Amino acid sequence: EVQLVESGGGLVQPGGSLRLSCAASGFTFSSYWMHWVRQAPGKGLVWVSRMNSDGGSTYYADSVKGRFTISRDNAKNTLYLQMNSLRAEDTAVYYCARAVNGRADYWGQGTLVTVSS
Amino acid sequence: QSVLTQPPSVSGAPGQRVTISCTVSSSNIGAGYDVHWYQQLPGTAPKLLIYANNNRPSGVPDRFSGSKSGTSASLAITGLQAEDEADYYCQSSDSSLSGWVFGGGTKLTVL
């Protein structure tokens, strides 16, 4: 059974940092591109970042470029999102998602990040 | 501002048919890129509902169907049920096929 379990969310002050993790199981993690998608409270889904299967290629939404870094450890079956210089508008539930042919076929349950003083 | 435009809300009575549109305001769909649909039940993560315009993953009832024509895609739900009440999102790829774009979401209310 495919499982994606996010962790690392919490309350952080503006300007602070947080690292999210997404532990994958039930599939060959190293074969799949992975994405982060976020959802602000009461709002819609917004794509954040993606990484290809071997970690050699990354891409970011303009809103997080230069502040967020996506990475992965295929030996540990884990995807990461390092978030620096956090702003109030980064407050959201962050989902990791497995990608197949341009779509998310599996999603994690999400982890809530709250940026507030 | 999303480049995929959905109506904020739709509603229908049990047993009825509803459709949700997803209209592109840039060229990513018109270029032949696939559109995918997700269902998000209250308090849960999104779930893939329709992929590549008109395909259902295993386990999705055939009451759900998708279509795409030109710069517009649609999700149709027939035989509406109370448990269909959810938010629905369309998604495609950006013009460089590097990232994803989502529609703003449509809240379906079953009357």
Side-chain angles (χ1 to χ4, degrees):
Chain A
E1 178 195 5
V2 172
Q3 281 200 316
L4 298 170
V5 179
E6 300 94 336
S7 61
L11 175 64
V12 61
Q13 292 188 339
S17 299
L18 215 52
R19 188 177 85 154
L20 307 183
S21 299
C22 169
S25 61
F27 65 101
T28 305
F29 179 70
S30 59
S31 296
Y32 290 85
W33 290 34
M34 298 293 295
H35 292 242
W36 287 100
V37 176
R38 69 184 181 184
Q39 186 172 35
K43 302 297 185 181
L45 301 173
V46 176
W47 176 79
V48 173
S49 181
R50 65 93 173 140
M51 174 166 269
N52 71 338
S53 56
D54 66 11
S57 173
T58 60
Y59 200 68
Y60 300 92
D62 287 344
S63 58
V64 307
K65 201 174 297 182
R67 299 188 299 122
F68 290 12
T69 302
I70 189 173
S71 63
R72 65 192 296 162
D73 185 335
N74 284 345
K76 294 183 177 180
N77 293 336
T78 303
L79 178 74
Y80 302 101
L81 186 68
Q82 177 68 43
M83 304 186 296
N84 298 331
S85 303
L86 282 161
R87 308 166 180 167
E89 54 265 36
D90 296 318
T91 293
V93 174
Y94 285 74
Y95 296 100
C96 65
R98 189 181 84 165
V100 172
N101 292 336
R103 64 188 182 264
D105 65 342
Y106 285 94
W107 298 69
Q109 86 289 349
T111 187
L112 176 62
V113 172
T114 303
V115 184
S116 175
S117 55
Chain B
Q1 182 179 353
S2 176
V3 296
L4 300 179
T5 302
Q6 301 179 234
S9 64
V10 298
S11 63
Q16 284 190 331
R17 178 181 186 270
V18 296
T19 61
I20 299 173
S21 62
C22 176
T23 303
V24 63
S25 59
S26 71
S27 62
N28 61 328
I29 292 185
Y33 295 176
D34 288 336
V35 173
H36 317 288
W37 291 90
Y38 303 91
Q39 177 192 58
Q40 187 176 33
L41 298 169
T44 69
K47 167 193 159 187
L48 181 64
L49 193 64
I50 296 289
Y51 68 93
N53 309 315
N54 56 14
N55 297 277
R56 283 186 309 276
S58 174
V60 172
D62 59 6
R63 301 187 296 104
F64 295 90
S65 63
S67 64
K68 193 188 95 170
S69 177
T71 58
S72 185
S74 289
L75 171 71
I77 310 172
T78 58
L80 208 54
Q81 300 179 4
E83 56 262 38
D84 298 333
E85 192 160 284
D87 293 323
Y88 293 84
Y89 295 89
C90 59
Q91 176 252 315
S92 186
S93 297
D94 68 15
S95 56
S96 65
L97 288 176
S98 293
W100 291 343
V101 288
F102 288 93
T106 298
K107 181 175 181 59
L108 169 63
T109 301
V110 180
L111 302 171

